[in-house]
Amino acid sequence: MDRLPLNALRAFALACAHGGVRAAARELGVSHSSVSRYLAELEAWMGIPLVERDSGSWAPTPQGAELASRLQTQLLEMANAVEAAREANSVYSVTVGVAPSFATRWLLPRLPFLARAHPRVELSVLVNQRVDNSFQDVDLAIRMGRGPWPGLQCEPLMDELLYPVVSPPIWSNQPHHPENDFLIKMNLLHDRDPSASWEQWRRTYGPSTLSLASGARLASSDLVLRSAELGHGVALARGRLAEASVKEGTLFRPFGSKEVRVPNAYWIVRPNLSVDARARRHAITTVVAWLKEQAA
């Protein structure tokens, strides 16, 4: 590695990427004569011609073009590696892992508030569904489910409220049936997450004759709500995720304030670190406090 003429290799890769010496010189912030000198030194060091001398325009030789292509790939990988390391080592950088539905419906709409309240915090959002003891990619995670999980530092973030939702046109086109008759006649949309299943509603409000065998079963809460918005049926919504749609009028609560409370439905999950290690990452505690404020 110490024998490689790195400056000359970078200059050559940029000259090929931009189609000439002058553009490469502008990007490097040096004179075009300096870039030309780098290229001559590189050809002498390698012992092969890298630039066509007899053509009317600037162009690499076939060997030079192959070398430039490989150099450009490697330089991009180096730049990405350096940027990733810089972000990971920033005292203001925090990466949070969340489920897709939670990211779309709850977290992303609130990120502008974080930027205004804590402008120095650099928050990255990684979408995944995994709950395990590995925190290689994230500093903390928000998980839906029945915690706490062993081997992790788990704090309850907020409860959940389950209630039926339907698109306003579907509701307005329905005769004014009693509530239970309305559910029996409607197509039910099911969330595959058992903690948001229609069984919870039937157990609390009925009717006992409500069939849960039919209806689409969707892989995420976001898909369930989107399907309801499109008029495909009635969904048992996670209130935290449906709140904006209800306020905006794209979803309607046909049963008013009736709801099923699910305690401690969302958790802030972190690795088990020492108090000293956590104290050194003030940005993480800032984000945790902000999340709790938003949940409240």
Side-chain angles (χ1 to χ4, degrees):
M1 180 67 73
D2 59 352
R3 296 178 60 244
L4 290 176
L6 296 178
N7 289 334
L9 289 168
R10 183 180 178 217
F12 177 66
L14 287 173
C16 291
H18 295 303
V21 169
R22 292 184 181 275
R26 284 195 297 270
E27 182 164 337
L28 290 170
V30 299
S31 66
H32 70 273
S33 61
S34 296
V35 175
S36 297
R37 187 171 61 254
Y38 277 138
L39 300 190
E41 291 172 356
L42 182 61
E43 287 182 314
W45 184 79
M46 294 191 67
I48 58 173
L50 298 175
V51 180
E52 298 283 2
R53 304 298 181 189
D54 300 329
S55 62
S57 59
W58 196 94
T61 64
Q63 286 176 303
E66 183 180 356
L67 173 64
S69 176
R70 298 180 68 177
L71 285 174
Q72 288 158 10
T73 299
Q74 296 300 320
L75 288 169
L76 179 60
E77 289 184 3
M78 289 172 61
N80 290 339
V82 170
E83 183 63 20
R86 187 195 68 80
E87 290 184 358
N89 289 326
S90 169
V91 295
Y92 302 109
S93 174
V94 179
T95 300
V96 57
V98 295
S101 297
F102 188 86
T104 302
R105 295 273 178 169
W106 194 89
L107 182 58
L108 292 186
R110 289 170 166 78
L111 290 186
F113 304 132
L114 174 64
R116 287 197 292 268
H118 305 285
R120 302 184 75 177
V121 171
E122 304 164 6
L123 187 70
S124 299
V125 179
L126 182 65
V127 174
N128 60 52
Q129 298 274 25
R130 190 178 67 249
V131 178
D132 57 28
N133 290 6
S134 172
F135 277 77
Q136 271 189 319
D137 301 323
V138 300
D139 297 302
L140 61 99
I142 301 172
R143 291 290 177 256
M144 298 184 285
R146 295 181 179 178
W149 292 269
L152 296 171
Q153 179 185 347
C154 303
E155 301 175 74
L157 176 61
M158 55 188 177
D159 296 346
E160 185 58 281
L161 301 173
L162 305 178
Y163 50 75
V165 293
V166 68
S167 71
I170 293 293
W171 174 250
S172 62
N173 290 333
Q174 291 292 320
H176 293 288
H177 295 300
E179 292 177 357
N180 288 347
D181 288 347
F182 169 73
L183 280 184
I184 290 173
K185 293 177 181 294
M186 285 294 296
N187 180 46
L188 299 184
L189 302 171
H190 301 270
D191 194 323
R192 287 192 181 276
D193 183 349
S195 62
S197 71
W198 274 104
E199 176 58 36
Q200 304 225 44
W201 182 268
R202 184 172 67 176
R203 190 184 308 126
T204 304
Y205 295 107
S208 59
T209 56
L210 181 64
S211 174
L212 306 183
S214 61
R217 282 162 170 77
L218 301 163
S220 72
S221 300
D222 182 50
L223 289 177
V224 171
L225 296 177
R226 182 61 180 150
S227 187
E229 289 169 344
L230 293 172
H232 297 167
V234 58
L236 187 63
R238 286 179 171 272
R240 296 284 189 173
L241 308 187
E243 181 181 13
S245 294
V246 172
K247 287 183 178 179
E248 292 165 3
T250 58
L251 287 174
F252 175 73
R253 295 180 63 173
F255 297 164
S257 60
K258 285 187 176 180
E259 55 200 17
V260 176
R261 179 175 292 276
V262 181
N264 296 337
Y266 301 87
W267 297 73
I268 297 174
V269 181
R270 289 185 276 178
N272 279 324
L273 299 176
S274 68
V275 174
D276 289 341
R278 288 198 302 271
R280 287 196 297 269
R281 296 296 307 279
H282 176 69
I284 294 177
T285 58
T286 298
V287 170
V288 168
W290 175 81
L291 287 169
K292 291 179 179 179
E293 291 172 5
Q294 293 297 309

